[in-house]
Amino acid sequence: MSLIKLLNRLLFVFLFSTCTVHAAESLKVINAWSPEAPPVAKVMAGYMTIDNLSNKDIKILSAKSNSFKRVEIHLTEMKDGMMRMTKQENLTIKANSHIELKQGGLHMMLMDKLEPIKSGSIIPVTLTLDNGKTININLVVKVNNEPEVMHHHHHH
Amino acid sequence: MPSEKPSKKKNFSQNVILPVSLGILSLVAGLWLSQQILINNNDAQVPKNLDATVLPNARLLVEFNLLDQNQKTFSPAQLKGQWSFLFFGFTNCPDVCPTTLKVMQSMWKTLPTKIGDKGHPKLYFVSVDPQRDKPEILKNYVQYFNPEFNGITGKLNEIDKLTNQIGILYGFDEKDGDNDKEYIVNHSSQLILVDPKGRMRAVISPPHDAKTIASNFQTIRTFYGD
């Protein structure tokens, strides 16, 4: 990769993906990322933390991306001895609260990949909220050598 | 005759060497035998302090006829000769399968053995979604995680012969939308450890963690022998 390209990418990542704050909607999305998948895989996952900074509950009604045919929010849960994935028709983030989309739990399911996506790519996703507004987020594609499930997060 | 002297000496030394070597031989045989008895005794016991569930009576896996990623037969015979990890899933799985294969990729890096070494395991990712997961897709999928990994699939009734023996469950969620190729497969996410005799020896339950699996595997290997 040439230096210019690298700088461009760094600038791009800095501008669009470090931390997306949407003051109007009061939703803050942080650490939005997607594990790089085998090129042959048609689906990928999206993980992030969504903060609701407002005093009202906010509901995410739908999600879409130009890189995938369909985007849904699913919950992985252990049920009847199986890992089941249940489609969430919508996702409510309670007032002054946050939810985490993470491995083995709630996640964005990106279905039917339309273009090759590699580590370093950005997957743009648009979320439609129940207040009629939309917000754009960028999933940074990373090789997850140390899956999140191995870490113990301490909440303060 | 002076020439007979060395000959007699030779006879004498032969007389000494034979019983001594017999003694050493029986000592070695005895040690080997006690080692074998020790191993056989361990066979019906389980090592302590593990996160894995070890079966005291390892269960021989029989009668299934599947296909590997190179379209070759995968049957109980392929499970003999080395330790094997079995994991069941499908390639259209966004969360659980890639996360687990990533864990196994990390775990593989900690192995003290290399491919071809005694005690070096194999990993088989068995797709329970043969409709979409053809062998060549599976090959590309698993080898992204590690070129040593193997993708397996086959007819559903043959997959059932294997999953029924080891308590793995799977099922298909109703196909919704306009595309009948879009459906979700629910499946157990345990890792099954099979011993070099082709017997199910342990079950490792999620959440999976590379370091724990690695240390449990070495403990089990040492306890039962390769």
Side-chain angles (χ1 to χ4, degrees):
Chain A
M1 195 189 298
S2 73
L3 188 63
I4 303 283
K5 259 187 167 174
L6 181 70
L7 285 175
N8 263 341
R9 175 158 289 172
L10 283 176
L11 187 68
F12 187 69
V13 169
F14 175 74
L15 284 179
F16 293 98
S17 66
T18 33
C19 173
T20 322
V21 186
H22 299 267
E25 299 85 7
S26 296
L27 273 194
K28 188 173 92 169
V29 176
I30 53 168
N31 296 328
W33 73 288
S34 174
E36 188 189 67
V40 74
K42 292 195 190 76
V43 300
M44 290 177 77
Y47 304 110
M48 69 203 74
T49 301
I50 309 172
D51 254 314
N52 182 353
L53 305 172
S54 77
N55 294 319
K56 277 198 291 189
D57 292 359
I58 296 177
K59 209 180 263 182
I60 297 171
L61 299 179
S62 65
K64 60 175 183 163
S65 171
N66 287 336
S67 309
F68 291 83
K69 248 191 204 168
R70 227 162 69 184
V71 180
E72 292 177 358
I73 293 166
H74 285 216
L75 174 66
T76 302
E77 55 183 344
M78 177 75 97
K79 211 172 159 192
D80 308 323
M82 288 188 273
M83 287 307 216
R84 286 184 172 275
M85 289 210 298
T86 319
K87 183 182 169 184
Q88 309 293 294
E89 291 306 331
N90 53 59
L91 191 63
T92 304
I93 304 106
K94 294 241 177 265
N96 302 306
S97 168
H98 76 275
I99 55 164
E100 246 184 286
L101 274 60
K102 58 181 183 187
Q103 287 174 319
L106 268 176
H107 59 274
M108 202 168 262
M109 181 167 178
L110 309 157
M111 300 156 92
D112 265 325
K113 189 166 69 182
L114 299 171
E115 56 192 27
I117 296 170
K118 280 166 70 174
S119 177
S121 306
I122 300 289
I123 304 172
V125 177
T126 303
L127 305 177
T128 302
L129 311 178
D130 62 345
N131 58 15
K133 294 193 168 118
T134 58
I135 63 171
N136 298 317
I137 58 169
N138 290 293
L139 302 172
V140 182
V141 181
K142 294 194 282 193
V143 175
N144 63 329
N145 279 323
E146 292 296 314
E148 301 279 288
V149 73
M150 292 173 64
H151 298 158
H152 297 280
H153 293 281
H154 297 281
H155 296 280
H156 300 283
Chain B
M1 296 276 286
S3 62
E4 283 194 356
K5 228 183 175 181
S7 151
K8 264 182 188 168
K9 205 176 181 182
K10 198 180 169 192
N11 279 343
F12 172 73
S13 60
Q14 268 177 345
N15 286 345
V16 175
I17 286 167
L18 191 68
V20 166
S21 47
L22 266 178
I24 292 170
L25 205 68
S26 54
L27 193 72
V28 170
L31 276 171
W32 179 80
L33 206 67
S34 63
Q35 191 78 15
Q36 286 307 106
I37 290 165
L38 218 68
I39 288 169
N40 285 341
N41 275 351
N42 266 359
D43 204 54
Q45 290 171 0
V46 295
K48 290 183 177 74
N49 303 321
L50 288 180
D51 286 309
T53 305
V54 178
L55 278 68
N57 299 303
R59 188 185 303 163
L60 187 68
L61 300 177
V62 294
E63 281 176 23
F64 56 85
N65 195 346
L66 299 168
L67 269 186
D68 75 8
Q69 58 195 17
N70 299 315
Q71 315 256 20
K72 295 214 175 84
T73 299
F74 181 76
S75 67
Q78 276 67 49
L79 289 174
K80 285 174 185 152
Q82 78 288 318
W83 290 92
S84 309
F85 286 92
L86 304 181
F87 184 70
F88 296 79
F90 65 117
T91 69
N92 280 272
C93 168
D95 186 39
V96 176
C97 306
T99 305
T100 306
L101 287 169
K102 208 76 201 174
V103 166
M104 293 312 283
Q105 181 190 63
S106 308
M107 183 268 180
W108 232 250
K109 286 179 189 154
T110 71
L111 288 172
T113 50
K114 288 195 302 288
I115 190 160
D117 289 352
K118 194 171 159 61
H120 190 70
K122 284 194 172 170
L123 183 131
Y124 295 104
F125 175 71
V126 184
S127 170
V128 295
D129 185 16
Q131 192 191 332
R132 291 180 295 191
D133 290 341
K134 301 302 169 203
E136 61 275 16
I137 293 176
L138 269 173
K139 183 177 185 164
N140 287 326
Y141 189 80
V142 294
Q143 296 203 339
Y144 164 83
F145 295 96
N146 188 321
E148 284 182 34
F149 291 178
N150 301 279
I152 305 292
T153 193
K155 293 189 177 122
L156 283 178
N157 66 319
E158 292 294 334
I159 292 171
D160 289 346
K161 285 184 191 167
L162 175 58
T163 54
N164 288 345
Q165 291 180 61
I166 55 186
I168 291 288
L169 305 169
Y170 69 94
F172 302 94
D173 259 3
E174 274 180 40
K175 302 166 187 185
D176 64 330
D178 46 353
N179 190 347
D180 71 346
K181 287 224 159 189
E182 273 182 19
Y183 51 90
I184 293 289
V185 186
N186 299 310
H187 56 94
S188 301
S189 58
Q190 286 90 349
L191 281 155
I192 305 294
L193 181 60
V194 179
D195 76 9
K197 288 179 179 157
R199 303 177 305 176
M200 174 180 175
R201 182 47 97 174
V203 181
I204 303 162
S205 293
H208 295 305
D209 165 299
K211 279 184 191 141
T212 310
I213 296 170
S215 75
N216 283 350
F217 173 56
Q218 294 310 330
T219 305
I220 293 170
R221 244 192 87 190
T222 313
F223 194 81
Y224 296 109
D226 290 324

